[in-house]
Coordinates of all heavy atoms in Angstrom, one line a residue:
W202 N -13.9 -11.4 20.6 CA -13.0 -11.4 19.4 C -11.7 -10.7 19.7 O -10.6 -11.2 19.4 CB -13.6 -10.6 18.2 CG -12.8 -10.8 16.9 CD1 -12.8 -11.7 16.0 CD2 -11.8 -9.8 16.5 NE1 -11.9 -11.5 15.0 CE2 -11.3 -10.3 15.3 CE3 -11.3 -8.6 17.0 CZ2 -10.3 -9.7 14.6 CZ3 -10.3 -8.0 16.3 CH2 -9.8 -8.5 15.1
I203 N -11.7 -9.5 20.4 CA -10.5 -8.8 20.8 C -9.7 -9.6 21.8 O -8.5 -9.7 21.6 CB -10.9 -7.4 21.3 CG1 -11.5 -6.5 20.4 CG2 -9.7 -6.7 22.0 CD1 -12.1 -5.2 20.9
A204 N -10.4 -10.2 22.8 CA -9.7 -11.0 23.8 C -9.0 -12.2 23.1 O -7.9 -12.5 23.4 CB -10.7 -11.4 24.9
A205 N -9.7 -12.9 22.3 CA -9.2 -14.1 21.7 C -8.0 -13.9 20.8 O -7.2 -14.7 20.7 CB -10.3 -14.8 20.9
N206 N -8.0 -12.7 20.0 CA -7.0 -12.5 19.1 C -5.9 -11.7 19.6 O -4.8 -11.6 18.9 CB -7.6 -11.8 17.9 CG -8.5 -12.7 17.0 OD1 -8.0 -13.3 16.2 ND2 -9.8 -12.7 17.3
T207 N -5.9 -11.0 20.7 CA -4.9 -10.2 21.2 C -4.4 -10.4 22.6 O -3.5 -9.7 23.1 CB -5.3 -8.7 21.0 OG1 -6.3 -8.3 22.0 CG2 -5.7 -8.3 19.7
Y208 N -5.1 -11.4 23.3 CA -4.7 -11.6 24.7 C -3.3 -12.0 24.9 O -2.5 -11.5 25.7 CB -5.7 -12.5 25.4 CG -5.6 -12.5 26.9 CD1 -6.3 -11.7 27.7 CD2 -4.7 -13.4 27.6 CE1 -6.2 -11.6 29.1 CE2 -4.5 -13.3 28.9 CZ -5.2 -12.5 29.7 OH -5.1 -12.4 31.1
D209 N -3.0 -13.1 24.2 CA -1.6 -13.6 24.3 C -0.6 -13.0 23.4 O 0.5 -12.6 23.7 CB -1.6 -15.2 24.1 CG -2.4 -15.9 25.2 OD1 -2.2 -15.4 26.3 OD2 -3.0 -16.9 24.8
V210 N -1.0 -12.9 22.1 CA -0.1 -12.3 21.1 C -0.8 -11.2 20.4 O -1.9 -11.3 19.8 CB 0.3 -13.4 20.1 CG1 1.2 -12.8 19.1 CG2 0.9 -14.6 20.8
S211 N -0.1 -10.0 20.3 CA -0.6 -8.9 19.6 C 0.6 -8.3 18.8 O 1.7 -8.1 19.3 CB -1.1 -7.8 20.6 OG -1.4 -6.6 19.8
Y212 N 0.3 -8.1 17.5 CA 1.4 -7.6 16.6 C 1.9 -6.2 17.2 O 3.1 -6.0 17.1 CB 0.8 -7.4 15.2 CG 1.8 -6.9 14.2 CD1 2.7 -7.8 13.6 CD2 1.9 -5.6 13.8 CE1 3.6 -7.3 12.7 CE2 2.8 -5.0 13.0 CZ 3.7 -5.9 12.3 OH 4.6 -5.5 11.5
Y213 N 1.0 -5.4 17.7 CA 1.5 -4.1 18.1 C 1.7 -4.1 19.6 O 2.1 -3.0 20.2 CB 0.3 -3.0 17.8 CG 0.1 -2.9 16.4 CD1 -1.0 -3.5 15.8 CD2 1.0 -2.2 15.6 CE1 -1.3 -3.4 14.4 CE2 0.7 -2.1 14.2 CZ -0.3 -2.7 13.6 OH -0.6 -2.5 12.2
R214 N 1.5 -5.2 20.3 CA 1.8 -5.4 21.8 C 1.1 -4.3 22.6 O 1.7 -3.7 23.5 CB 3.3 -5.3 22.0 CG 4.1 -6.5 21.2 CD 5.5 -6.6 21.6 NE 6.2 -7.6 20.8 CZ 6.2 -8.9 21.1 NH1 5.6 -9.3 22.2 NH2 6.9 -9.8 20.4
L215 N -0.1 -4.0 22.3 CA -0.8 -3.0 23.1 C -1.6 -3.6 24.2 O -2.1 -2.9 25.1 CB -1.8 -2.3 22.1 CG -1.2 -1.4 21.0 CD1 -2.3 -0.8 20.1 CD2 -0.3 -0.3 21.6
G216 N -1.8 -4.9 24.3 CA -2.4 -5.6 25.3 C -4.0 -5.3 25.4 O -4.5 -5.4 26.5
W217 N -4.6 -5.1 24.3 CA -6.1 -4.8 24.4 C -6.8 -6.0 24.9 O -7.9 -5.8 25.5 CB -6.5 -4.4 22.9 CG -6.1 -3.1 22.5 CD1 -5.3 -2.8 21.4 CD2 -6.4 -1.8 23.0 NE1 -5.1 -1.5 21.2 CE2 -5.8 -0.8 22.2 CE3 -7.1 -1.4 24.1 CZ2 -5.8 0.5 22.5 CZ3 -7.2 0.0 24.4 CH2 -6.6 0.9 23.6
G218 N -6.4 -7.2 24.6 CA -7.1 -8.4 25.0 C -7.3 -8.5 26.5 O -8.3 -8.8 27.0
Q219 N -6.3 -8.1 27.2 CA -6.3 -8.1 28.7 C -7.1 -6.9 29.2 O -7.9 -7.0 30.1 CB -4.9 -8.1 29.3 CG -4.9 -8.2 30.8 CD -3.5 -8.3 31.4 OE1 -2.6 -8.5 30.6 NE2 -3.4 -8.2 32.7

Side-chain angles (χ1 to χ4, degrees):
W202 186 89
I203 294 172
N206 287 275
T207 66
Y208 191 89
D209 293 324
V210 180
S211 172
Y212 180 81
Y213 298 102
R214 301 187 182 278
L215 296 176
W217 289 117
Q219 182 176 352

